[in-house]
Amino acid sequence: MNELPLYFIAIIPPDPIFSFALQQKEYIAEYYNSKAALRSPPHITLHMPFRLKESREALLIEYLDNLAKSNPQFLIKCDGFGAFEPRVIYINLDRPDALVNLQRNIGQLMKQQMHLFNANYKDKVFNPHMTIAFRDLRKAMFHKAWEEFRVKKYTTSFMTDSFALLKHDSRHWQVHQRFHLSASV
């Protein structure tokens, strides 16, 4: 039986933030034996993974392109690290209104137009972050890693001018299509 293709929607940060986040993932893989985060590029999830018939992909791309054009570019600030105990460590982000609105608009589009209802993890409130370790980080290693990362300083910001549709290639997540936000709405 062929499974439907797997997608998700996310913001991919520009360099040097992208490279910094990737270095943190590689560091955790090497020193804390957690490699799962390396299967996707550094990102901020806007819609959780979902399956979709490939025949509906062009329609989804059209909807997302139209939505991007009606949402403004915005600034995101990175400030240190955070954790969801006992497995997840991430780069902590602020929650600008434009980001919250974009995520909500994508969730509404996915429900109303695509009939997909899994925008957020277990219906939790949107908590923007960039994961650097998760799923395969063992509890004992989590505590060691968190002791190190909880005191690390990292402060920067970046202008968000696009988001992406990512598609799973059976091993890793790949950027499939980028959608550019409006320079002025």
Side-chain angles (χ1 to χ4, degrees):
M1 177 176 101
N2 281 342
E3 285 192 332
L4 295 175
L6 191 58
Y7 303 87
F8 82 99
I9 302 167
I11 293 169
I12 308 296
D15 266 329
I17 292 115
F18 182 94
S19 294
F20 176 81
L22 186 58
Q23 288 168 354
Q24 302 315 297
K25 288 180 178 201
E26 290 167 346
Y27 177 85
I28 285 180
E30 183 176 345
Y31 292 97
Y32 297 104
N33 198 30
S34 176
K35 296 173 176 62
L38 288 169
R39 293 189 189 124
S40 62
H43 67 275
I44 303 162
T45 302
L46 296 173
H47 194 286
M48 299 287 294
F50 58 92
R51 294 196 180 275
L52 185 71
K53 290 181 182 176
E54 232 158 348
S55 61
R56 299 189 73 211
E57 184 182 289
L59 182 62
L60 174 61
I61 287 170
E62 179 184 336
Y63 286 145
L64 290 173
D65 191 48
N66 289 335
L67 184 139
K69 291 173 184 169
S70 67
N71 279 268
Q73 297 180 10
F74 54 90
L75 190 71
I76 294 180
K77 296 176 184 171
C78 305
D79 187 16
F81 295 85
F84 301 130
E85 291 193 37
R87 297 238 190 265
V88 179
I89 298 175
Y90 57 85
I91 296 172
N92 198 35
L93 306 173
D94 70 341
R95 210 171 171 259
D97 289 344
L99 173 58
V100 173
N101 291 338
L102 176 62
Q103 191 269 344
R104 184 181 61 240
N105 292 343
I106 289 171
Q108 288 174 344
L109 178 147
M110 298 301 280
K111 286 178 187 174
Q112 294 167 359
Q113 305 299 325
M114 303 305 292
H115 308 291
L116 295 167
F117 298 90
N118 68 324
N120 295 324
Y121 181 71
K122 296 182 180 177
D123 292 324
K124 294 192 182 223
V125 173
F126 178 53
N127 182 358
H129 61 279
M130 259 186 287
T131 300
I132 58 170
F134 75 126
R135 193 180 315 161
D136 66 341
L137 182 60
R138 297 193 186 282
K139 288 180 184 181
M141 291 302 234
F142 166 85
H143 293 294
K144 288 179 183 176
W146 183 229
E147 283 302 311
E148 178 180 348
F149 278 87
R150 75 184 318 146
V151 296
K152 267 191 179 186
K153 304 285 186 226
Y154 180 64
T155 305
T156 192
S157 61
F158 64 95
M159 185 57 75
T160 304
D161 62 1
S162 67
F163 62 90
L165 176 65
L166 291 95
K167 190 172 183 179
H168 203 269
D169 69 7
S170 80
R171 295 192 65 221
H172 295 95
W173 289 100
Q174 304 292 339
V175 173
H176 186 62
Q177 179 86 34
R178 285 192 185 265
F179 304 95
H180 296 280
L181 298 168
S182 173
S184 61
V185 173

